[in-house]
Every structure is written in C-alpha cells, then in structure tokens.
Amino acid sequence: MIQQQKSGPITKKINLGKVKIETGQKPEDINHLHPQSSYLHNFLEPYESYISQLIAQLQDDRGIADLVINNSTTHLEIRNRILEIVRATSNADFVFLLVNDSHDHWFIQSQSDLVEGINEDIYIGILRTNVLPKIQGKSVFNPAYHGIYQIHEGINNKAKTFVIIPLISSQKPEIMVVCGLQQDSYFLGDAYSRILSTFYQASQILPFQPELIEAAILDDLKKDFGFVSASLYQRRFKLFCERLQRMVIYFEPFVHLDPEDLFISGWEALARNPDSLTAPSDLFKAAELWGSQFTIELDQYFLRVATQTYLEARKRSKQARSDDVKPLSVNVYPDSLMQNAYFETVRQILKDQIIQPRNLILEISEKAELPTFQDDICLEPPIKCFKKKLLEYVKLKIKFAIDDFGVGHASVSRLADLHPSYVKIDREILHQQHSDIIIRFVHDLVGANNLNPSHVIVEGVDETIPMSLLHLKEIGVSYIQGYIVGKPSPDIYRLSQEKADFLKKLLLEKTISVDHLVC
C-alpha cells in the first residue's frame, strides 16, 4: 500500500488591506516608540560600559597627554600606555603586540605591564610553548572574523583565555594578544576584538583625542554590524554635534571667465577643521554612514553658520551695499532638501535677513543619491518628487547648483530634469581622455534651456590641469574656481588688479605657465 507523504502545516493567507502606521515627523523621533512597544535587545549593549571605560582611562591618563603635548616621547611609549589601558579595562593579565619582520618571524613590539602576582618566567614559558606556536596566520587574518581565542589550563590553577586580534595597518600586519581573560568572559566576541582594534589604531593616528577615538570605534561598529544599540547611537550623535560645532567656515571665490570682464562672481562656503584648516572629512563620512538625522543636523548647522559668517565677513570687507554682495554657495545633501526641517531653516534665515534669497545658492552634490523614501513612503519616481520639492525653494527665489558633476549618480538625468542655475564640473573630468567632449556636451545640454541657461563652473583649477584657461573658455566654461583664482580664506575681497592682469594673461595663452603662478 502506498502511503501519501505528509506535507507541512497548512497555511492560510490573510489580507489586511490598507493599514496606517504612525510615522515620526522629526529627526529626533527616531527612537520614539509607542509605550506598548519595545526595541529588540542589541548584542552590543554589554560593550557600552567597556567603551566608556576605555575612553575614560584614556582621558584620565595625564601621562599620555603630557607626552603628546610636550612631544617628548617615542611612539613606543604611547603604544605601551595604550596597551596598559587595554589590560586594565579588560581585567587581563598582560597585553602585547606582535609584529612580523617580513621573514615570517614575529617579535614583541610593545607591551603592557604584567599584572602583579604572576610569575613572569612561567607566563613566558606558556606563551612560547603552548599559545603562540598554535597560532596560524591564516586563521588570525581570516576576513570573516575579527580574531581567535585559546583556552589554556594551569595558570595559578585557573583556566585562562588568550585572545588574538589582527591589526591591519598600511605598513605591515600586527597582532594584539590579550592574555588571561576569564573563560566565561563576554569579551570573547567579535565586537570586543573590533573595539580594541579600532581603539589601538585610532590612538596612533589621533594621539590623545579621546572624542575622535570614541567616534571612530562607534563608526567601525556601525560599519561592521549594521545596527548598534540606541544608547550608542545617541552617544555617536552627541559626539557628532560637538564635533560639528568646532568647525570654522572659509570662503573660496569663483571668477567670471572673460578677459574683458573678469570679476569674482560668487563664493563657496567650505567647512574647515579649526587646527589644520583641512576639510573635516570625518564629519561627512559620519553623516553618510549614520543616515538622515546626522545629515540634516550637518546641513542645517552648516547653512546657519555659513550664512552668518558670510554676513560678518562682508561687514569686515565693507561690502555692505546690495550691489557689492555676491552669491554664496552652500553644500547640501539631497536628502536634507526633502526634509521640512531644512526648508524651515532656509525660510528662517531669509526672514532674519541674514542673506537675500537671490544671493543664496544651494549646491546639490552628485556624490549622493537622490532619496527614495520620505517618512517611510516610497518616492516614485525619485527625480520627479525631488524636483517638486525643489520648486518650493525656487518660490523663495533661491538658486541651485549641481556640484561634482561627472563623478556621481545619474548626472545627465539630473541635469536634464532639474535645470540648475549652475553646473560645477569636477576637476577630475579635465584629466580624462575625452574631457573636451564631456564639457561641450554639458554646455550644450544646459544651454538648451534658452529661458534660464545654466552657468558652467570648473572646480579645482590650478597649475596641474592639462589645458589652458583659453581652451576652457573656448569650450563653454563660464566660470572657474580653484587655487589659480584664490585659496580658501576666512575673508572675502574684490579681485585685485594684479590677479586680474595675471588671469587675463593666462586667458591669452594656450597653456598655463607654472612660473606665472607665483604672483
């Protein structure tokens, strides 16, 4: 008799129809829940206090601070102190760093103290005969894991765990060995290894900058594990806001490219680190990594500070008359433009008369994708929804520019649909084989709108570009921006006669002479 094979449980499909789910309207609503709901537990929660301990010990170690401030130390001394912090916060016996000498021989480069009460000779013997010989390089540097561990019996009649963590620097591979953890320690996890790896390596790059080191740890956890606990998220946002408030604003001019009519036609606001005066790339990377709450905070703050600083710079330069005021370009992420909070910030700035709407240009970076969702609603098609939102800004008489053209997402479709007032071509285009064709194409495309043709600006023009200013003018470039015009500065100014004569001369030459750039 043939028996019918049993199937799985019978399931029944249901149809709920349309269901309304509450959507938070403000960025701070991200952690808001209905009282009857709770977030699922996050596996990183146990590590929150450990990260705090690492950073607190670093902040309290005045020895490291004095060594860095007085510049009276070698990297070895700092490394040893960092490893001592790892040992103390992990309640370990010993922590050391192994470095490969390129002959597949490993030696100790730096180390913590050995905890009191342990025989040093016995410990060395165990490491040399029972622990290190059993390590396989392929296992340690397996890209699927952040480290391995071994359990060894018989140290002071206790089982001790040895954690081996790979450190991949730009120079050579290194291994951190944390000795003597408890066998049931919650540290025996990927997150512990990732935290220590980032803590150690960030401490080499950012000596005694605890806030930046903590931010680097949280960023790497986010990159590796996707989700972090709510409190770690809020901690990262707090660090982000504090870092944001330290940046300063500089201005870089762009010039109208005509030998008979050379003048500074506008300024771009640039964020700068207060110490190095370099771009705060960590802020931009963090905003892009952590999402909407970070990007909107960055863009709102940057807009407020940039326009206020520009107003103050104009007063210092005695360019108070409306005829003297040139447009100011401020960068913004596409996602922020879709947020009501950013729109209201723009309106408030205009209401307070910090800047006139005709003098405000919002630069949309091509390096960022157009948003596909807003308040959990799918935007279909994104370009159409984005354009509709931009029209609200246009009603305020604000202009737009597309920044970084040629290096981002769907460049041609954005140009064709958005009709910006300015198109800024990334300097990398100039180094491509068919740069002339690309620039002519952009010029023809934006010039097709006869009622409101866009102005073409080439960014990053300096002595290294492979074509002359004359040639740029001939292929349709209306404006240039870069060191050949002027470096970013906290002040604004008029184009000097000396600089104007210099640029006129270059406009008549077929190549840029490096010798002329000393003026």
Side-chain angles (χ1 to χ4, degrees), residues 179-342:
C179 308
L181 297 180
Q182 297 298 319
Q183 187 175 353
D184 59 351
S185 173
Y186 74 91
F187 288 148
L188 304 184
D190 244 15
Y192 174 71
S193 176
R194 195 69 184 99
I195 290 166
L196 289 191
S197 175
T198 304
F199 175 71
Y200 176 78
Q201 296 187 91
S203 298
Q204 313 307 302
I205 303 170
L206 307 163
F208 203 69
Q209 297 187 59
E211 293 82 6
L212 295 184
I213 293 171
E214 183 180 3
I217 291 173
L218 300 182
D219 287 351
D220 279 350
L221 290 176
K222 170 69 172 170
K223 290 174 191 174
D224 280 4
F225 302 114
F227 294 92
V228 299
S229 62
S231 53
L232 286 182
Y233 180 93
Q234 293 298 342
R235 175 58 181 165
R236 183 63 184 94
F237 185 66
K238 183 175 185 294
L239 290 170
F240 179 80
C241 293
E242 291 172 355
R243 173 79 177 85
L244 190 59
Q245 292 171 16
R246 291 188 63 243
M247 73 174 185
V248 296
I249 303 296
Y250 271 44
F251 304 102
E252 186 174 49
F254 48 94
V255 165
H256 183 237
L257 198 61
D258 188 329
E260 303 303 322
D261 193 21
L262 275 167
F263 60 91
I264 292 176
S265 57
W267 300 87
E268 179 179 359
L270 301 172
R272 288 291 181 262
N273 287 310
D275 303 322
S276 62
L277 299 182
T278 56
S281 57
D282 60 303
L283 279 174
F284 307 137
K285 290 177 181 177
E288 292 160 12
L289 174 66
W290 291 88
S292 183
Q293 185 177 7
F294 285 69
T295 53
I296 188 68
E297 184 71 21
L298 170 65
D299 284 336
Q300 284 181 282
Y301 183 82
F302 184 49
L303 178 65
R304 289 193 295 264
V305 174
T307 51
Q308 182 62 44
T309 307
Y310 186 56
L311 176 62
E312 295 166 1
R314 281 171 36 212
K315 290 179 179 178
R316 290 197 306 271
S317 67
K318 299 181 180 179
Q319 295 184 21
R321 295 188 311 169
S322 59
D323 293 343
D324 291 333
V325 181
K326 303 299 180 183
L328 177 68
S329 293
V330 180
N331 289 277
V332 59
Y333 285 99
D335 184 62
S336 294
L337 285 169
M338 295 294 293
Q339 304 295 329
N340 291 331
Y342 187 81

Side-chain angles (χ1 to χ4, degrees), residues 159-171:
K160 295 281 188 172
T161 304
F162 295 78
V163 177
I164 297 94
I165 301 171
L167 305 174
I168 304 175
S169 66
S170 58
Q171 298 176 344

Side-chain angles (χ1 to χ4, degrees), residues 115-134:
V115 72
E116 293 182 3
I118 291 182
N119 186 295
E120 180 179 343
D121 294 333
I122 294 176
Y123 221 96
I124 292 175
I126 291 172
L127 285 169
R128 290 182 62 87
T129 60
N130 295 87
V131 177
L132 298 181
K134 297 178 182 179

